[in-house]
Amino acid sequence: MKKSFAVLCCLAAPAAVLAQEGPHGAQAAPTIAATRVTSPIHVDGRLDEPAWATAQVVTSFTQYDPDEGQPASELTEARVLYDDEALYVGFRLHDRGKVNMRLGRRDMDLADADWVGVVVDSYHDHTTAYSFDINPSGVRRDETKTDAGDDNSWDAVWEAKATVDSGGWTAEYRIPFSQVRFNPRVATWGIQLERIIGRRNEYSVFAFTPKRERGGIARYGHLTGMEGIHTGRRLELLPYTVARAEYVDPRGNPFRSDPSWGSRVGADVKYRVSSNLTLDATVNPDFGQVELDPAVVNLTQFETVFEEKRPFFVEGREIFNFGGGNLPSGGALFYSRRVGGLTSAVGPPTLAADLPQNTRILGAAKLSGKTAGGWSIGFLDALTSREQARFRDDTGDHTIVVEPTTNYFVGRLKRELRGGATSIGGLLTAVNRDLSTPELRGVLRSSGYTAGIDFRHEFSKREWALSGFGSFSNVRGSQGALLREQIVVPYHNFARPDSRVLTVDSAATALSGFQADVALRKQAGTHWRWFGEAATITPGYEVADFGTQRRASRIDLSSGVNYLERRPGKVLRFYNLGLAARREYNYDRDHILSLLETSGFLRHVSYWTATYAIGGQPRSL
């Protein structure tokens, strides 16, 4: 653990040489002042408390679509209050037409309903934010936002109510400070207020950025006056107990009856070390969310990657994102569903067996958050138990160890500079298994380690971006386990008879590899966008102990150009025409893919859309 922390701290040196710079430049961001209140606010969708009348009213909303840069077609009034425990936001949404309502589940798609949203950059770091939306039917959406994308698996505890009347509708929010992370010494937050009018396909915002410029969290407005606030309760305890009954056909499993009964207990703990650092812990976490995974028929040679749903692992997940999520290996360095899952590499010799459904997590702890100095911090350590399976053969009943005791560790440090326009970070993962039986040692790797550095630098008013990363991997195990790794794993296949560089080393007890990527993109501008990218991944690269992977032994070159027209014309409201090329080789220098493709997206003034793609792949392996 000490070595892991030392490696990550080395990132401080290169990060310190980059100068700080604001994200807005000369353009001033719009501002709204929050008003502190002492009287209670009852969230009922009616802004009838006296405190709402004392708050600053914001009415300046600008269309992003359909008429870019024009004032919103309907009047919107927004107000912000706060007290010792929560942030309150009130909207009065005037509407001379019909308010579109849509009922659905939490986090539903926007569809064609009316919506209103609050997005807060509570760190005021210009790179991360929390979004809260509600529609007139009271359906809520919440998600975390980063430059790498949005994640709606995050579910905060907050209140919002909406009411509809003849003049429009009203929305009222209560967002507890305990649900977001912030620096109490900074009295200014970033904020974006959004409104969607479904019948017009109109999207208007409080802080407007032209489409030709780089927008996003860095261009949000300012929420001032956030003084003297605290996180509220420092300790949260969530125990659980589950009773379970299964009525299944017991045939093939002599150890089960119909019905089968069971129970389990566990707990999640959250402790606020500070307003911007959280310590999470779990003992025997609830796998009920995992059991809701959709049924999948996988006809490929690669495993199915499921979405993480367990609250312990969802909390602060955006901090562990590495390389923007687009890795040459086709996977990720950190896949939290490994913790508690089954490798299925060792199984009973007969079908008459009782296998565990998952591996018990004996305990796990995670420290995550951001410091006032701009460092994103994430450390996670988890210990899973040894699991056994019962089976029956001609000689009687037996047990076999199918999963070893395993420790998982991941550490992440990331430094953001120049208002989030530049970042540099590192990630380290380590998996260590206690292989106590010959069956386990023959098929499982005893350890797997990964270390990587990633960076992103936006320049020329954030119109251009240079990004890249590199990561090393090392796995260790017995000769049998490493021989299996070289031959059986489909993306390695060291036994290919036609390969000139790949050879099977039957005496190997370790395997190492490297992957890297660098890309230059023109990401803003009136019409033209461009990118060029080069990537490589060596044959021995392996991260599946704590990550996911689909490829190895690749050299990829790709580039593309796009022409966009966002100004509505007489026929088309928007169109995007692109040309892209890609060339891939393996480490034998065999040409394995060439692709030349042109594609386009067109939106008629009536909002009908059309897409096309025409491409060719010359003959290759």
Side-chain angles (χ1 to χ4, degrees):
M1 182 72 174
K2 293 181 179 179
K3 291 183 179 179
S4 304
F5 185 77
V7 171
L8 291 173
C9 284
C10 291
L11 297 171
V17 303
L18 297 172
Q20 296 281 351
E21 181 182 300
H24 290 277
Q27 181 177 347
T31 300
I32 180 173
T35 302
R36 176 179 276 277
V37 296
T38 55
S39 57
I41 302 294
H42 179 54
V43 180
D44 56 4
R46 297 177 177 86
L47 308 182
D48 49 8
E49 289 86 359
W52 289 114
T54 66
Q56 177 187 352
V57 182
V58 170
T59 59
S60 178
F61 281 73
T62 305
Q63 292 186 49
Y64 193 80
D65 280 316
D67 302 319
E68 181 187 1
Q70 297 300 311
S73 63
E74 302 288 348
L75 176 63
T76 301
E77 300 174 355
R79 299 169 171 85
V80 179
L81 306 173
Y82 74 101
D83 58 19
D84 291 335
E85 295 183 351
L87 181 74
Y88 301 88
V89 183
F91 289 95
R92 177 55 189 169
L93 305 134
H94 299 271
D95 204 326
R96 292 164 291 183
K98 180 182 178 181
V99 175
N100 282 9
M101 305 175 68
R102 174 79 69 170
L103 193 62
R105 295 185 176 184
R106 183 170 180 165
D107 294 334
M108 66 177 283
D109 292 335
L110 296 175
D112 58 352
D114 292 354
W115 288 84
V116 67
V118 178
V119 192
V120 291
D121 174 10
S122 51
Y123 282 122
H124 207 215
D125 61 2
H126 311 295
T127 60
T128 58
Y130 303 93
S131 176
F132 307 88
D133 304 327
I134 188 173
N135 74 5
S137 298
V139 180
R140 292 180 299 159
R141 291 168 45 91
D142 48 14
E143 59 189 10
T144 58
K145 291 179 175 290
T146 65
D147 289 336
D150 304 337
D151 182 5
N152 66 3
S153 62
W154 176 73
D155 289 325
V157 179
W158 57 289
E159 298 177 67
K161 294 291 180 62
T163 57
V164 181
D165 55 52
S166 59
W169 62 293
T170 304
E172 190 173 22
Y173 285 76
R174 182 183 187 273
I175 304 171
F177 292 132
S178 62
Q179 301 303 300
V180 297
R181 304 179 184 186
F182 57 91
N183 182 357
R185 295 191 296 272
V186 177
T188 300
W189 289 11
I191 189 169
Q192 179 67 289
L193 306 174
E194 307 169 314
R195 181 180 181 181
I196 291 177
I197 302 177
R199 69 178 185 278
R200 295 193 71 247
N201 288 282
E202 179 180 314
Y203 171 56
S204 58
V205 295
F206 162 65
F208 172 74
T209 303
K211 295 178 181 179
R212 67 178 181 274
E213 299 179 13
R214 171 78 156 84
I217 302 171
R219 303 295 293 273
Y220 283 1
H222 292 157
L223 176 63
T224 62
M226 303 295 292
E227 299 175 346
I229 59 175
H230 306 282
T231 59
R233 297 181 179 90
R234 296 179 67 94
L235 179 65
E236 296 179 14
L237 176 64
L238 181 63
Y240 81 90
T241 179
V242 174
R244 177 172 178 168
E246 290 184 336
Y247 298 84
V248 297
D249 188 347
R251 287 177 296 181
N253 187 343
F255 302 98
R256 296 191 62 173
S257 60
D258 186 11
S260 177
W261 302 84
S263 64
R264 60 186 298 161
V265 295
D268 292 338
V269 181
K270 182 188 297 292
Y271 179 71
R272 294 275 183 173
V273 179
S274 65
S275 60
N276 51 5
L277 286 176
T278 302
L279 178 65
D280 295 274
T282 186
V283 178
N284 197 20
D286 182 11
F287 273 76
Q289 299 93 339
V290 172
E291 292 166 358
L292 296 177
D293 287 331
V296 175
V297 178
N298 188 345
L299 301 179
T300 74
Q301 59 186 332
F302 304 109
E303 66 176 331
T304 300
V305 177
F306 289 105
E307 181 184 2
E308 181 60 84
K309 301 175 183 178
R310 296 168 292 180
F312 171 80
F313 293 100
V314 171
E315 173 76 19
R317 181 168 60 179
E318 69 280 358
I319 293 175
F320 295 94
N321 180 63
F322 179 83
N326 183 25
L327 307 187
S329 60
L333 269 62
F334 172 52
Y335 176 46
S336 59
R337 289 290 291 266
R338 293 279 182 235
V339 184
L342 289 174
T343 62
S344 300
V346 178
T350 68
L351 296 177
D354 184 34
L355 282 165
Q357 295 183 346
N358 52 58
T359 305
R360 288 174 297 162
I361 301 177
L362 299 176
K366 177 173 61 177
L367 178 68
S368 59
K370 284 193 172 183
T371 69
W375 284 96
S376 296
I377 298 175
F379 293 101
L380 183 151
D381 193 81
L383 180 67
T384 60
S385 69
R386 188 174 86 159
E387 299 292 342
Q388 294 181 325
R390 296 177 294 175
F391 69 94
R392 177 173 296 172
D393 60 18
D394 294 338
T395 62
D397 294 344
H398 310 275
T399 61
I400 184 174
V401 178
V402 295
E403 193 71 29
T405 302
T406 306
N407 184 260
Y408 298 86
F409 170 81
V410 57
R412 172 69 159 155
L413 284 179
K414 186 177 180 181
R415 180 75 163 98
E416 292 161 351
L417 305 160
R418 300 173 56 241
T422 297
S423 65
I424 182 170
L427 183 138
L428 178 69
T429 70
V431 176
N432 291 280
R433 299 183 176 94
D434 180 16
L435 304 180
S436 57
T437 67
E439 293 84 3
L440 293 174
R441 288 191 292 271
V443 296
L444 289 180
R445 299 180 289 270
S446 59
S447 62
Y449 304 98
T450 305
I453 295 177
D454 60 346
F455 72 91
R456 181 178 178 85
H457 177 64
E458 297 179 340
F459 56 97
S460 187
K461 298 181 179 179
R462 301 176 75 105
E463 184 172 325
W464 289 82
L466 177 67
S467 61
F469 57 84
S471 63
F472 294 88
S473 71
N474 178 266
V475 295
R476 297 178 181 274
S478 68
Q479 293 181 1
L482 268 296
L483 182 62
R484 180 179 182 273
E485 176 77 18
Q486 297 174 72
I487 297 176
V488 176
V489 178
Y491 48 80
H492 289 308
N493 198 5
F494 276 67
R496 272 179 44 208
D498 62 323
S499 176
R500 298 180 297 276
V501 298
L502 299 179
T503 57
V504 175
D505 183 0
S506 58
T509 57
L511 189 66
S512 300
F514 171 77
Q515 76 165 340
D517 179 282
V518 62
L520 178 65
R521 300 178 185 274
K522 186 178 186 293
Q523 59 186 11
T526 303
H527 294 296
W528 293 100
R529 307 290 171 88
W530 175 91
F531 80 92
E533 186 170 8
T536 185
I537 175 170
T538 63
Y541 188 77
E542 176 58 60
V543 296
D545 290 286
F546 209 174
T548 59
Q549 186 170 345
R550 297 171 64 93
R551 294 183 294 187
S553 186
R554 291 288 186 97
I555 300 172
D556 302 340
L557 302 172
S558 59
S559 63
V561 62
N562 284 67
Y563 182 86
L564 299 86
E565 180 54 80
R566 300 181 180 273
R567 294 172 298 182
K570 294 182 179 180
V571 178
L572 296 177
R573 183 174 298 277
F574 167 80
Y575 64 87
N576 179 8
L577 308 178
L579 180 66
R582 186 177 182 89
R583 189 110 171 157
E584 296 185 7
Y585 301 86
N586 61 21
Y587 268 60
D588 284 307
R589 300 299 188 269
D590 295 324
H591 168 215
I592 57 177
L593 174 69
S594 285
L595 172 65
L596 182 63
E597 180 182 56
T598 178
S599 60
F601 176 87
L602 303 94
R603 176 177 288 132
H604 192 259
V605 291
S606 63
Y607 288 97
W608 283 85
T609 62
T611 61
Y612 74 87
I614 303 172
Q617 296 187 29
R619 185 177 181 181
S620 60
L621 294 177

